[in-house]
Amino acid sequence: MKNMESLRTQCALQGALSAANAIGGVIPVVHSTAGCAYQNYLAGGLANGGQGAGLAGGLAVPSTNIVEKHVVFGGSARLREQLKNAVKVFEGKLFLVLSGCTPNLVGDDSKAMVEEIETQGYPAAYVQASGFHGSAYTGYELAVRSLVDFASKKTASPLTTVKGLINIFGIVPGQDTFWQGELLSLSREFSAAGLILNPLFGFNQTVENWKNIPHASLNLSLSTWGSGIVEYLKEKFGTPALKRSFVPVGAEDTKQLLLDIAGKLNFDEKQINNHAEKKEQEADYFISQFAEAYFNFNFQTDFSIAGPLSQAVGISRFLAYNLGFTPKTIIITDAPQLKDEPIGDILPHIDTKVNVFFTEDGNEISGLLKKGNPGLILGSTIDRITAEEKGAAHLSISLPVSDRIVLNRGYAGYSGALNLIEDIGTVLLKRRTQK
Amino acid sequence: MAKKATHIAIYGKGGIGKSTTTSNISAALAVMGYRVIQVGCDPKSDSTSTLRNGDFLPTVLDTVREQSQLKIEDISKVGFAGVLCVEAGGPLPGVGCAGRGINSAITLLTEMKVFEEFKADIVLYDVLGDVVCGGFAVPIRNGLTNRIYVVSSQDFMAIYAANNLFKCVAKYANSGGALLGGVIGNNLYGSHAEELITDFTQKTNSAIIDFVPKSLVISQAELHGKTAVEAYPDSKEAQKYRDIAKKIISDETVTTPNPMDGLALRDWARGWGDKILKERTNAVFTI
Ligand SMILES: Nc1ncnc2c1ncn2[C@@H]1O[C@H](COP(=O)(O)OP(=O)(O)OP(=O)(O)O)[C@@H](O)[C@H]1O
Ligand SMILES: [Mg+2]
């Protein structure tokens, strides 16, 4: 295995913790060393567009903060104590125990502690989220499965299917900086098109929304990290699954996604086409407003991008097909396992030879971004140094994002594309005026 | 400056006689006038029981769990001929991490300056069973011990464990880890035992320290809660342990063992199996 520097992906515990923090009423209880929960406050929060906090998030996460004594003699009793305290302090709809590396190495029976607190009448569930299991994406997936198992036990029967109700997975809180914006934007698009999106995470989302999962008529995954989940749900509830590898940005990809869904659900395409038409008109209006500036300031540029697959591909497609930018290098930072998949499927019809790489190593990424002198670099805040060195414009779009605040901004859907134009336009303009 | 004690670790397969051997060596050294500390590195915490008539001795880890300020008296007992007995202790079976437990107990003893304050000449560590994970390799690593010895019988699984231990020693040999003093054959019976173990040491660049036969004297002493050295000082077993003790304290020769790989070890053992079987069969026919 390769030694990595300047990683952009957090560990499984962080993914699971961010997921828990993004659901109203879920109180995470971390069973690990003190630094583990703190790391989430830093990387999943402050270095993630200034997000984080929440009722039991940020620095307020209940944590067992285990020390050597618990390593040697086991830490189950410490967890029991922490759970007892947590239920006194928080009025949770679910106490989600997340056990980190050490407790799982020494074999703590965390599950038994969870069952114990459950028998005392508190809602509780367990995720074995050791950092060594994998990345934040793995942690997200593990947490989602556990949340699904917990909530579906409480789903009102019969398990009727609500036509047009769609659960969405694969947009990962705390790791995808724009997760909240993407979910809000897609929810708006879906409802305007006559569909109902169940975003599950973020604003207004609570355990109640999770209970509705079995009622959905479709489970949608918008990254590789949701595909295991939608398969699991297919097995569990028989719900059909639709898997896409990227989050759509702009009119064409958004419309295509809605049409794919309509096809899958035998849904009336008319409504979708109507919606798409309206949105396209809106987008055209604004883009035409921008046309003057685009030519006047000579915005058209080549670009390189580093980020998770779902984002890098969605953004690259929009920039290439709709703005006429030329992609130079695409670096996928989250999915080394996809190295051998045909990448041509993702970015067809582009004249220039696009170089696609799969790496998470900071050194390698900076080397790859430097090559070809792109005018614009989209990546993490780490890549700003590379961009400055090369005189390229730079926009932080993937973790760590510590030079901008991102609350409900997103690039998905029709409105997201306008956000992207604004953000990219701004950094390009800035570079111009600096020169 | 106080002179530095020699630290010796004794390893071997579970139940092979590590504690018996270590305690007898400690007793023999103490009788010879050395200041000896024996540290049981095993959650069973029974390493030193034959040195102190089977009395109760709280373990280091159990004591730390209960109180924060430790004194040497809290965690040790002076046993036969002045041997200072310490049991590291550990978690309940199936709970926590015994490897880390040994680690932290030894660190604690070092921090408390137990070895200096007792003015020990020699410290013997009796380390639990097979080396199953990094935690149990700690006494081999980082220069904590000067030499290590392996107890083995002629049984294949004991040899297998010894060979594994050699792998561990070889692994840390270049980074300041302890090297091998040699193999102590123990609980030996039958005509081939010594020859077989000698062959193994020759194949693996290790030395033979001595052979201790399976002996009623040793088990009888144990039943009385004593070492053979204490209970039957005139026995040939006691003499054997005194010889071994003398060798361990005075002979600093070490080797970097050259363990066999899995297949070679299997073939080697098969060869011996066939040889022994053949001779036994022949013996039957000649009757
Ligand atoms: N040479 C011997 N002759 C007869 N009995 C022996 C001999 N050596 C050890 N024994 C007996 O074998 C048993 C196991 O020995 P001992 O407890 O010393 O092994 P150990 O390797 O320390 O075991 P563990 O891995 O459980 O700590 C004891 O009952 C002991 O008296
Ligand atoms: Mg023993």
Side-chain angles (χ1 to χ4, degrees), chain A residues 369-392:
Chain A
L369 287 175
K370 274 181 202 163
K371 266 190 211 151
N373 294 314
L376 170 67
I377 289 179
L378 301 154
S380 78
T381 304
I382 302 173
D383 305 315
R384 197 171 65 189
I385 302 158
T386 309
E388 276 167 6
E389 229 172 84
K390 285 296 189 181

Side-chain angles (χ1 to χ4, degrees), chain B:
Chain B
M1 207 189 97
K3 92 179 150 35
K4 223 173 156 344
T6 303
H7 292 250
I8 301 286
I10 298 191
Y11 281 87
K13 187 184 145 45
I16 208 66
K18 293 179 296 295
S19 302
T20 309
T21 308
T22 313
S23 301
N24 274 291
I25 295 170
S26 289
L29 285 166
V31 169
M32 287 150 73
Y34 292 103
R35 292 186 64 79
V36 184
I37 301 180
Q38 177 166 331
V39 183
C41 297
D42 183 340
K44 285 199 308 297
S45 62
D46 61 352
S47 168
T48 60
S49 64
T50 51
L51 287 168
R52 43 187 177 78
N53 296 312
D55 277 356
F56 173 74
L57 170 58
T59 70
V60 177
L61 291 173
D62 280 343
T63 317
V64 211
R65 187 152 52 165
E66 252 99 74
Q67 64 197 72
S68 54
Q69 274 301 327
L70 286 195
K71 292 192 292 295
I72 297 184
E73 306 87 86
D74 300 331
I75 50 153
S76 64
K77 219 160 230 170
V78 177
F80 171 71
V83 177
L84 191 74
C85 303
V86 179
E87 295 285 353
L92 294 169
V95 181
C97 177
R100 184 60 223 174
I102 290 179
N103 243 302
S104 55
I106 294 177
T107 307
L108 198 79
L109 294 175
T110 314
E111 278 168 6
M112 289 170 70
K113 299 199 178 310
V114 171
F115 312 126
E116 287 89 341
E117 287 191 11
F118 186 73
K119 296 190 179 62
D121 296 306
I122 183 161
V123 183
L124 293 150
Y125 300 86
D126 168 8
V127 192
L128 151 127
D130 313 52
V131 179
V132 286
C133 73
F136 298 109
V138 166
I140 292 176
R141 279 153 39 181
N142 310 334
L144 177 73
T145 48
N146 302 73
R147 293 189 284 289
I148 76 145
Y149 293 85
V150 179
V151 180
S152 179
S153 73
Q154 77 265 40
D155 293 337
F156 178 66
M157 291 322 290
I159 299 269
Y160 179 84
N163 191 63
N164 270 350
L165 195 88
F166 288 3
K167 287 182 184 171
C168 179
V169 173
K171 178 172 168 50
Y172 294 110
N174 292 326
S175 49
L179 296 183
L180 185 70
V183 177
I184 302 168
N186 183 49
N187 232 339
L188 306 185
Y189 60 90
S191 53
H192 286 98
E194 297 188 6
E195 200 189 330
L196 186 149
I197 294 176
T198 308
D199 188 35
F200 171 69
T201 57
Q202 282 166 355
K203 292 253 169 354
T204 54
N205 189 38
S206 49
I208 286 286
I209 301 303
D210 213 330
F211 299 109
V212 182
K214 191 178 187 72
S215 143
L216 268 177
V217 170
I218 294 172
S219 5
Q220 194 63 21
E222 191 195 65
L223 289 176
H224 288 96
K226 289 186 178 7
T227 58
V229 171
E230 180 184 3
Y232 307 107
D234 300 328
S235 63
K236 60 178 193 307
E237 282 80 357
Q239 187 52 45
K240 186 121 245 177
Y241 285 122
R242 286 191 290 268
D243 292 346
I244 294 175
K246 222 173 273 163
K247 198 157 181 186
I248 283 181
I249 193 89
S250 59
D251 188 352
E252 293 177 8
T253 315
V254 287
T255 66
T256 301
N258 181 23
M260 293 189 231
D261 67 30
L263 285 180
L265 185 65
R266 192 199 59 191
D267 291 344
W268 173 84
R270 269 193 196 157
W272 269 98
D274 292 347
K275 184 175 167 186
I276 294 168
L277 186 70
K278 199 167 147 204
E279 287 181 20
R280 291 229 177 111
T281 321
N282 287 345
V284 172
F285 281 124
T286 49
I287 285 171

Side-chain angles (χ1 to χ4, degrees), chain A residues 178 181-182 185-186 188-189 247-255 279-280 282-284 286-287 290 314-323 325 395 404 408-426:
Chain A
F178 303 94
E182 315 296 40
S185 164
L186 291 172
R188 282 193 301 268
E189 310 294 6
V247 175
V249 178
E252 276 160 41
D253 283 346
T254 306
K255 183 177 173 187
K279 282 308 227 180
E280 274 157 28
E282 190 183 327
D284 283 351
F286 287 108
I287 288 175
F290 167 62
I315 290 176
S316 297
R317 285 174 60 96
F318 177 75
L319 293 182
Y321 300 147
N322 297 69
L323 284 194
F325 286 18
L395 182 68
R404 56 185 299 200
N408 69 355
R409 199 168 189 74
Y411 297 141
Y414 298 96
S415 59
L418 294 179
N419 286 340
L420 186 63
I421 293 175
E422 285 181 358
D423 291 351
I424 286 178
T426 305

Side-chain angles (χ1 to χ4, degrees), chain A residues 156-219:
Chain A
S157 50
L159 295 184
T160 47
T161 302
V162 177
K163 197 161 159 52
L165 180 66
I166 300 164
N167 303 314
I168 182 169
F169 299 97
I171 296 175
V172 178
Q175 184 61 46
D176 294 346
T177 305
F178 303 94
W179 66 274
Q180 176 66 91
E182 315 296 40
L183 290 175
L184 289 173
S185 164
L186 291 172
S187 296
R188 282 193 301 268
E189 310 294 6
F190 277 50
S191 74
L195 301 162
I196 316 155
L197 195 66
N198 193 12
L200 299 166
F201 293 103
F203 178 63
N204 258 343
Q205 298 300 300
T206 67
V207 176
E208 292 306 311
N209 302 73
W210 285 76
K211 290 183 191 165
N212 290 332
I213 286 177
H215 296 306
S217 46
L218 182 72
N219 288 315

Side-chain angles (χ1 to χ4, degrees), chain A residues 68-77 102-103 105-109, chain B residues 61-62 64-65 90-92 94-98 100-104:
Chain A
E68 179 147 43
K69 186 168 86 176
H70 309 113
V71 177
V72 175
F73 296 107
S76 302
T102 313
L105 274 177
V106 310
D108 275 358
D109 196 355
Chain B
L61 291 173
D62 280 343
V64 211
R65 187 152 52 165
L92 294 169
V95 181
C97 177
R100 184 60 223 174
I102 290 179
N103 243 302
S104 55

